[in-house]
Amino acid sequence: MYETIVRAWLERQISASVGERRRRLLERHDFAEKLFLKKVWWPAVGHFEHLHAEYEATDFLDGTRFLDFAYLRPPHKIALEIDGFGPHARDADRRTFADGLMRQNHLILDGWKVIRFSVDDVKDKPRQCQQFIQQMLGRWYGGQSGTLNELPLKEREILRLAAHSPDSIGVSDVCALAGIKDRHARALLKQLCAQGMLLPDKGVQRVHSYRLSPVAAKLFS
């Protein structure tokens, strides 16, 4: 499931980008960033809503910076950086070192909250990093329960239907619930699947029914 969801998320990022950001997504979204998504973000959060890769940020001096990830969920702007201790970091000259510090200062002045992880911690201490992400969301957003309330009304009601239904739900159930046509219902169900909130029933070549994912189930526990 993870590979399908992260691939769809990254493809949406690429299709919505142009210029240098698009090039970075295609060529530079590398080991450290992918490791962070798989070992930290996905286990801690369970979806990629509000998360943007290789995000182009303009600071208050009109400088352009690319962030490894940006979590853009009002009222905060959070920059997530994954730092490797390779030759580039070890051998950085004084100018590069100073530029990195000033880069972070400008982001903070422009209203960003900056969070940094070492790639070693992501690789060797993923649970510690997951806990930090969960604490961060809890401190700044009041916990994960807010995710459900941020969804549009129809999506919330579909998830509630799935949560309280003894069986899987299908297009006809959503049509009856929301008073919408088949095409609209299918689009909503696919969208909730892409967000990791619903799962298609296993063993069905052409999906006709869906069930609540473990991530979404936590919102109703």
Side-chain angles (χ1 to χ4, degrees):
M1 181 184 69
Y2 166 79
E3 295 296 340
T4 300
I5 292 173
V6 74
R7 189 181 305 113
W9 170 78
L10 189 56
E11 286 174 356
R12 290 196 299 272
Q13 301 275 307
I14 293 171
S15 65
S17 65
V18 295
E20 177 62 13
R21 185 191 179 209
R22 183 179 179 86
R23 186 190 72 79
R24 285 170 175 258
L25 285 169
L26 289 170
E27 299 177 10
R28 295 190 54 180
H29 195 67
D30 58 12
F31 172 77
E33 288 83 359
K34 291 177 180 176
L35 194 70
F36 174 77
L37 290 175
K38 185 172 186 177
K39 298 193 69 171
V40 177
W41 188 267
W42 176 254
V45 182
H47 61 82
F48 300 111
E49 188 177 4
H50 309 299
L51 189 68
H52 305 266
E54 296 293 347
Y55 186 80
E56 186 173 0
T58 303
D59 61 36
F60 79 109
L61 291 178
D62 293 326
T64 298
R65 309 285 183 172
F66 286 91
L67 311 176
D68 289 339
F69 298 100
Y71 187 69
L72 303 178
R73 178 180 166 194
H76 305 296
K77 299 187 300 183
I78 304 174
L80 298 161
E81 298 280 66
I82 319 302
D83 299 319
F85 190 71
H88 176 72
R90 288 196 305 267
D91 302 332
D93 58 27
R94 290 178 179 271
R95 181 176 179 179
T96 302
F97 175 72
D99 180 70
L101 297 180
M102 192 58 67
R103 170 184 185 268
Q104 180 165 312
N105 291 342
H106 287 167
L107 287 170
I108 292 171
L109 279 181
D110 202 39
W112 288 87
K113 296 179 182 295
V114 181
I115 304 296
R116 311 190 80 100
F117 294 97
S118 75
V119 71
D120 289 339
D121 276 351
V122 170
K123 181 173 62 176
D124 300 328
K125 301 176 183 178
R127 183 57 188 149
Q128 184 180 84
C129 299
Q130 293 167 22
Q131 290 172 337
F132 183 89
I133 292 293
Q134 291 167 342
Q135 291 167 358
M136 175 192 81
L137 294 173
R139 175 68 62 87
W140 291 338
Y141 295 100
Q144 286 297 90
S145 58
T147 303
L148 181 64
N149 293 328
E150 290 178 355
L151 289 171
L153 177 61
K154 286 187 175 67
E155 282 89 333
R156 292 203 306 268
E157 293 306 312
I158 292 171
L159 292 179
R160 286 194 178 95
L161 176 66
H164 296 106
S165 175
D167 302 309
S168 300
I169 63 170
V171 172
S172 60
D173 299 309
V174 174
C175 291
L177 172 73
I180 57 179
K181 299 293 180 78
D182 287 10
R183 186 174 181 180
H184 189 187
R186 287 193 185 90
L188 290 175
L189 288 166
K190 288 181 180 179
Q191 182 175 315
L192 288 168
C193 275
Q195 293 173 358
M197 297 294 188
L198 291 178
L199 296 176
D201 266 353
K202 294 181 179 179
V204 179
Q205 288 185 348
R206 184 173 181 181
V207 177
H208 294 285
S209 57
Y210 302 80
R211 55 190 171 83
L212 204 65
S213 73
V215 171
K218 293 179 183 178
L219 302 176
F220 295 92
S221 60

